Structure formats: C-alpha cells, structure tokens
Amino acid sequence: MNPLNQVEGRAIPLGLKNCDTDVIIPAHWLKTVSREGLGKGAFETLRTDPDNLFDSAEFQGSPILIGGDNFGCGSSREHAAWAIGDLGIRVVIAPSYSDIFSGNAVKNGILPLVLPQEAVDRLMEVAQTDPISVDLEAQTVTTPFQDRFRFEIDPFRKMCLLGGLDEISITEQSDAAIAAHEEKISSNQPWMIPAAQ
Amino acid sequence: MTKARTLYEKIWDAHVVEQRPDGTCLIFIDRHLVHEVTSPQAFAGLRAAGRKVRRPDLTLAVPDHNVPTTARRDAAGNKLPITDAESAAQLAALAKNAPDFGIRYIEETALEQGIVHVVGPEQGFSLPGATIVCGDSHTACHGGIGALAFGIGTSEVEHVLATQTLLLQPAKTMEVRVEGEVGPAVSAKDIILHITGVIGAAGGTGHVIEYTGSAIRSLSIEGRLTISNMAIEGGARAGLIAPDDVTFAYLKDRPYAPKGDDWDAAVAYWKSLATDAGATYDKTVIINAADIAPSVTWGTSPEDVVPITGMVPDPASFADPSKQIAAAKSLEYMGLTPGTKLSDVEVQNIFIGSCTNSRIEDMRAAAAILKGRKKADNVKWAIVVPGSGLVKAQAEAEGLDKIFIDAGLEWREPGCSACLAMNPDKVPAGERCASTSNRNFVGRQGPGARTHLVSPAMAAAAAVTGKLTDVRELMA
C-alpha cells in the first residue's frame, strides 16, 4: 500500500448526500477477480452525462473527492474503494461515511477525511476554481484563501495510512493471544466449533 | 457486582483477544461466510503472501450472487454451463479456492445452496452470541438470531481468513424499541421499512442496533432475520435481537448446531445474552407498532418510506436542504411527481426474493395473496426466487410453487438474483419493480431500473393489480 501524507490538487466537488456504493461502482463491475482497473466503472451512471465532473478536463485525475453526508453507504463492496483509488483519488472529504466504506478506504491507502458540513460547503466552493491541500501528519485541510480546517482521525488508521502498513502483518504479531483465545473456546465452549458433517 | 451490560457489550467482551492502548480491539471471529464476489481478491492475496486459512473449520463458502436462477441441470441431470463468462470465472474461482484452502463448500447444484444469509441460520452454522462476518453488508441479517454479525470488505475477508480476527473499534449502542401489536398485513418488512424511514439511512451509523419491544419479540425467526437484515439500511453495521425460546426452537437439530449435552450447554449460555436491566444504550428510539402501515419506498434511498396509503412527497417538504436536492434527484430518476398517490403507481416487474425476504414464511405470505388469482397483464416479468434449495423444496412440498405458476409468476432456483442484478435477472431501464429486496438505489436492479421496496404480501398484491397496492384490500 502506498503511504499517504500530503496531497494537493483539485478536488472533485461531487457533494451528493447518501452516495451509495452502487453509485460508486455498479454491481456488474463486481464480476472481476482482480482489484485493478475499476476506475473505468467508477460513478458510471453519473458519467453517462457528457458534462460530468469526473471526465471534465478540469477534474480528470484529481486526487481529492468531496462527497456528501453518509458517503459510501450500502453494499460492503471494497470495489468502491478500489474504483475510487483507480481514478487517482487519495482523499475523500465528507461530513460522514458509512462504517464499512471508511474502513475499506483506509485499507487501500485512501483517507476518508471527516469535516463538518459548513467546512465541506466551503471546500465545495473553493474546489470550483482552486486546489485544496491535505496534510495527514498535521491533520489539516487548507486552501489558497487562508482557510484552515483541522480534522480528527483514529490514531491507528493514521499510522496505517502514513506508513502504508499491511494490517495482516500487524495482527500476525498477536498470534499467541489468538491461540490462547482459541484454546479458551475449545475448553469452555466446545459447542462453538461447528458440528462435523 | 458486575456492570449492567447490553447484549452487544456481552458479545463484544467475550471476543476481545487483545485491546490496544487506543481502544482498538482484536476481535475473534467465530464464523466466516464466503461467497464468490468479494472473495477472489482475498484468496489471491493469501496466495501472494504464502498464507493459509487459519480456521477453515469456522469458514463456510457458498456461491449466491452470480448464479443464474434458471435450471442448473438439464433433464438428464447434467450440470448446465453458466453462459456469462465473467460470472462463470468468479464461480470457478470459489469452487477452486474453497478446496485449495480446505474450506467447506456448498456447490451451486446442492440442495443446501442458497443466499449465504439464508444458508447460515438454516444450517445452524450461525449461532447466537457468535461473531459472524461475510464480505457482504447484509451479514447484519444473522443478528436476528442474536449473533453479532456484520459485513466486511475484501481486505477484511483476507484478514479474517489469515488470522480469524478483525481489528475493530467498539461501536456505540442504539436501541430501537417497537412496542405494541401491528395491524393486519403488517409484516416484519413493513416494520423495518418504517424504522428506516424514522431513523434515516445514516441514523445508525457508528452504532449496533438492538431491536427490542413486544412487536419484535412476537416475530418468528424469519421475521427477525428480515428486521436485522436491513439494519445496514439504517446505517448500522449490525443489528441484534436477543435470543429466546423461539430462537432455540429454530436452531435445534440444524446440521451444524450443537447436539446432545453440547446443545444444553449452548442454550444455557445463550440465555445469559439478554441485555441486563439497568444497562444503557447510547441512543434509544421508540416506535409504536400501531403506527406502522404496509409500507413502500418512493425514492432511491431506503429511508424514502411512506405508508401505501400515502403520497409521493414534495422535495420542498424536507427541512434539510441536502435532502431536498437528493429527493428531487430521486423523483427525477423514479419518474414520479409530488402528490401522486403511491397506490396509483403502475409496476411492470415483480421480484419476490433476496436475503431480506426469501424464507419459507415469505413464500407463504406471497402465495396466500396469489392463491386463485392471476397477475395483471401490464406486469411483464414476475419472478419468485426462494432463498435456498431447502426453502424451495419446502415450498414445493406445500404446493406454493403451483400457486405462483398458476398466477403467472416464474418459480426460480435460489440466489441473490434481481436484488442486485449481477446475474441475468434484471429490471429493464425506465420500468418499475415492486421488490421484496433491501435497496432501491439508482441502478441497483439494472441500469435505469426503478425499485419500490415492499413486503412479500405487498409484492404479490402488486402482481395481481399491476400497481402498488394496499394488500389489505385483497384480504377481505
């Protein structure tokens, strides 16, 4: 996973409330056995409009996306994070996310950045004409107009994003604790192991 | 004396392997359900890293999203090929990955095959008090038997396969209490649609919802699974309903459920899982069951719910400006104008199925309305997709298949089908579908498809009249 710290560039001012993962990547794109190439299908229904933001000369390849409340709700498909990442987006800014989407984003090196609605509204305005800067280490979003918004992030997520860390390797260091838990179940609750067929 | 705890806190506490200084916990996962769509990249990741599946015995794989719902064997009993090459490749990947990694696998032609969330409880693989995950957001469903169950992304699928754990932050708790008795023809689906309308699509974000109250307690397991299934539509990653005698009776003697003395020990433990008197939730919403009518959605978010006796709302009637914009967009997509009575809206398609409503009770509820009736001529496509081969067999033993076929509906093989249109079952662009599924998102049932979420009885009523219909009018 690519480490992420500072990201600067134009931000796609999407702003849509309850933008669900079926909108981010429709189900027919899920028939893949790979993580790659899903940018083609990202926001497909919105991109049938020839004047859509994603394919405009101004916003194509932008590293930041601004969404609305409850961004990424619905299906757990990680394809949504893969598709957004494949578009070149490293940061999403929204007032709130679905729990599953924000987790998927982090695991793919994408920062699901939370700011209050007023701050998001202001960034939507700036994004029409100017770039936005995100600094994960400092936990700030800034604009060329002296706007400076501080955001909060879970320290573990921050560490994973900054270091581009693989969570499985981290968990494998807890092997003995996992084994101890398994042993406890086997002796105290043997019925938790599915009956043999 | 120990602190009074909610059901969620009891299950969480019993599964903490390790707690990190920042509050993140390594949580043990008791059951992992795997299907063909969200797992190939996880298995590829394991292979690339040279990792094994830590607990294949706690893992069960079953294909459901992609499988066609047409016949899977020819008259001679030979397996029929899957014509969609991409679907075939995903199904083949699961059929190879499961045995390669030593995982139990139910193949698509097996009697036990079905939608993963129907199969888990039906096989007794899902148990109360267990942590259950699957790469599918409707894993929340298994909360209906008192399991802490939630959907995960593919990276988490890989993480669980490799370590049998997940790194999680504890959720907040939310109680949705539904008290009283529901009126005639008001089903579990109507209750959860109503709840979603009340709390909103993000009302449960960051929370696990426990459904309580007399209206929930009086539901069958099928109904409780329907309720918990759609916890995610209210933003909650998991739903919970405390296990009770109804739960135990449902699970007893199921194939993977504990047997003999183990069963008695399990029941004794499960009885301890109710929320303690004096335990507090972070949030409580109280709903009067008598306020719930047969319900239907008008828009493209599952929070867009009205009683069937209601009208399409005016976007200007919403206080939140962003909801006004979203509602206007929804109405444009849905081809509806404010003030239209829902019962005047014609439908061309009917879908009875999905992990929300494809269990035997759902089949019975739809058949009770369709018995001796015919679908309307303007309904072009109407399919009934049972949730598993076992549901299908039970329905056929009760003669329900004949009722559906006589009414002009198609009786199909089990799978996810037109709920998300990954297989050939799709609603044509611009047409409407009265659907018993869980999501009315833009393009969910096919590009341009317009979905109205309803209960099985309401879908059956719509099939008969050709428009959204108050099922109570057909129950005289």
Side-chain angles (χ1 to χ4, degrees):
Chain A
M1 201 168 79
N2 287 336
L4 178 138
N5 188 9
Q6 286 163 338
V7 177
E8 183 177 359
R10 293 300 296 275
I12 306 167
L14 176 66
L16 192 63
K17 183 185 164 86
N18 287 334
C19 178
D20 59 68
T21 53
D22 278 75
V23 167
I24 299 172
I25 186 88
H28 70 95
W29 288 95
L30 273 50
K31 293 185 188 180
T32 171
V33 292
S34 139
R35 287 174 156 98
E36 320 298 328
L38 286 166
K40 289 196 297 289
F43 300 98
E44 184 178 56
T45 46
L46 301 178
R47 286 163 76 188
T48 54
D49 176 354
D51 299 326
N52 78 83
L53 292 168
F54 297 92
D55 297 311
S56 67
E58 216 175 338
F59 292 109
Q60 207 170 29
S62 293
I64 304 171
L65 173 69
I66 307 180
D69 219 7
N70 203 21
F71 187 86
C73 61
S75 158
S76 62
R77 61 189 68 163
E78 194 161 322
H79 308 67
W82 300 334
I84 286 176
D86 199 44
L87 285 179
I89 294 166
R90 296 301 307 276
V91 179
V92 183
I93 301 175
S96 70
Y97 300 86
S98 84
D99 299 328
I100 302 178
F101 175 80
S102 60
N104 285 341
V106 171
K107 288 178 176 60
N108 289 279
I110 298 167
L111 167 62
L113 194 157
V114 180
L115 283 175
Q117 186 71 54
E118 309 80 67
V120 173
D121 290 345
R122 168 63 188 153
L123 293 174
M124 287 280 287
E125 198 183 332
V126 172
Q128 303 295 332
T129 50
D130 286 273
I132 284 170
S133 300
V134 173
D135 187 325
L136 175 58
E137 182 66 55
Q139 297 181 219
T140 57
V141 181
T142 51
T143 75
F145 307 100
Q146 315 306 318
D147 299 284
R148 185 171 186 280
F149 302 105
R150 185 177 160 80
F151 64 90
E152 296 304 319
I153 181 168
D154 172 83
F156 182 75
R157 286 184 167 187
K158 182 177 178 178
M159 178 187 84
C160 288
L161 284 167
L162 285 172
L165 297 180
D166 163 15
E167 220 177 79
I168 295 178
S169 317
I170 299 173
T171 300
E172 280 174 341
Q173 295 166 16
S174 301
D175 183 67
I178 300 170
H181 186 92
E182 290 174 323
E183 182 51 41
K184 193 176 73 182
I185 296 173
S186 300
S187 49
N188 298 353
Q189 298 180 325
W191 46 266
M192 275 300 281
I193 314 300
Q197 284 295 286
Chain B
M1 207 179 106
T2 53
K3 179 181 164 283
R5 292 181 298 168
T6 62
L7 168 56
Y8 168 73
E9 289 161 337
K10 288 181 182 182
I11 301 178
W12 176 270
D13 291 349
H15 290 84
V16 175
V17 171
E18 242 178 29
Q19 184 165 6
R20 309 267 150 106
D22 67 355
T24 307
C25 291
L26 193 62
I27 293 293
F28 192 78
I29 301 302
D30 296 316
R31 298 288 187 271
H32 187 187
L33 297 156
V34 175
H35 66 84
E36 78 278 21
V37 175
T38 55
S39 67
Q41 295 87 347
F43 286 114
L46 291 183
R47 280 200 182 89
R51 292 180 171 120
K52 292 191 293 189
V53 173
R54 183 180 180 100
R55 294 297 300 270
D57 58 327
L58 303 183
T59 312
L60 176 66
V62 57
D64 58 4
H65 281 61
N66 258 307
V67 293
T69 56
T70 46
R72 293 185 189 147
R73 290 184 188 274
D74 65 17
N78 303 308
K79 276 196 199 181
L80 288 164
I82 289 168
T83 49
D84 181 316
E86 289 174 308
S87 293
Q90 272 192 338
L91 292 161
L94 186 61
K96 176 169 174 14
N97 285 330
D100 278 3
F101 287 91
I103 295 169
R104 299 168 207 260
Y105 174 64
I106 301 176
E107 62 173 355
E108 69 251 32
T109 48
L111 179 64
E112 296 80 9
Q113 182 270 340
I115 306 171
V116 66
H117 309 309
V118 175
V119 171
E122 188 174 76
Q123 291 296 314
F125 190 73
S126 307
L127 295 178
T131 47
I132 303 179
V133 298
C134 173
D136 186 286
S137 61
H138 289 111
T139 309
C141 194
H142 309 257
I145 58 160
L148 178 59
F150 48 90
I152 57 177
T154 298
S155 294
E156 290 172 310
V157 169
E158 186 178 335
H159 193 279
V160 176
L161 288 172
T163 69
Q164 205 59 33
T165 63
L166 279 175
L167 273 167
L168 297 167
Q169 283 278 354
K172 292 184 188 138
T173 55
M174 177 170 175
E175 178 189 25
V176 174
R177 194 188 311 158
V178 189
E179 290 289 2
E181 260 182 61
V182 293
V186 174
S187 69
K189 181 63 165 289
D190 300 299
I191 297 175
I192 192 63
L193 284 173
H194 182 90
I195 291 171
T196 310
V198 170
I199 69 172
T205 303
H207 293 72
V208 167
I209 298 178
E210 183 178 348
Y211 302 93
T212 66
S214 55
I216 302 293
R217 293 253 69 83
S218 62
L219 290 170
S220 65
I221 291 302
E222 284 86 348
R224 295 178 192 185
L225 291 167
T226 299
I227 298 274
S228 199
N229 177 274
M230 287 182 69
I232 185 69
E233 266 53 70
R237 202 166 172 180
L240 276 172
I241 295 172
D244 59 12
D245 289 341
V246 179
T247 320
F248 311 147
Y250 173 90
L251 288 170
K252 194 164 178 12
D253 299 327
R254 302 235 168 219
Y256 291 111
K259 306 284 186 309
D261 292 346
D262 276 350
W263 171 259
D264 297 335
V267 170
Y269 174 68
W270 296 338
K271 283 183 173 171
S272 75
L273 291 175
T275 291
D276 294 328
T280 53
Y281 301 90
D282 293 301
K283 195 150 108 176
T284 291
V285 174
I286 298 173
I287 287 170
N288 181 356
D291 293 343
I292 306 174
S295 298
V296 56
T297 61
W298 52 267
T300 57
S301 168
E303 69 185 18
D304 298 338
V305 176
V306 286
I308 181 63
T309 50
M311 288 186 298
V312 176
D314 186 338
S317 66
F318 295 99
D320 171 8
S322 63
K323 182 65 192 178
Q324 292 177 357
I325 297 166
K329 278 196 173 153
S330 282
L331 291 186
E332 190 190 336
Y333 179 82
M334 293 296 289
L336 291 171
T337 46
T340 304
K341 287 166 71 179
L342 267 302
S343 56
D344 285 341
V345 174
E346 283 199 14
V347 295
Q348 299 78 36
N349 305 274
I350 305 290
F351 173 58
I352 299 174
S354 86
C355 57
T356 312
N357 280 129
S358 63
R359 297 175 186 83
I360 189 65
E361 273 193 8
D362 302 314
M363 301 291 114
R364 288 176 189 146
I369 301 300
L370 288 162
K371 189 170 188 179
R373 293 186 167 115
K374 297 272 180 216
K375 78 170 175 65
D377 291 339
N378 64 306
V379 172
K380 296 191 289 190
W381 190 65
I383 63 170
V384 186
V385 184
S388 71
L390 288 166
V391 171
K392 181 168 187 267
Q394 176 66 27
E396 289 173 355
E398 296 178 20
L400 307 183
D401 57 323
K402 294 204 174 50
I403 295 174
F404 293 129
I405 293 163
D406 288 348
L409 282 72
E410 295 174 43
W411 178 242
R412 296 290 190 94
E413 296 295 322
C416 299
S417 182
C419 174
L420 84 169
M422 274 196 78
N423 78 346
D425 305 338
K426 291 177 178 53
V427 174
E431 294 190 9
R432 288 181 201 288
C433 183
S435 177
T436 67
S437 54
N438 37 56
R439 291 193 173 133
N440 51 355
F441 295 161
V442 168
R444 173 83 178 179
Q445 295 195 290
R450 294 163 169 170
T451 302
H452 295 277
L453 301 177
V454 289
S455 73
M458 287 281 284
V464 171
T465 64
K467 53 187 189 163
L468 298 174
T469 297
D470 190 337
V471 65
R472 292 171 295 196
E473 291 167 12
L474 300 185
M475 295 177 77

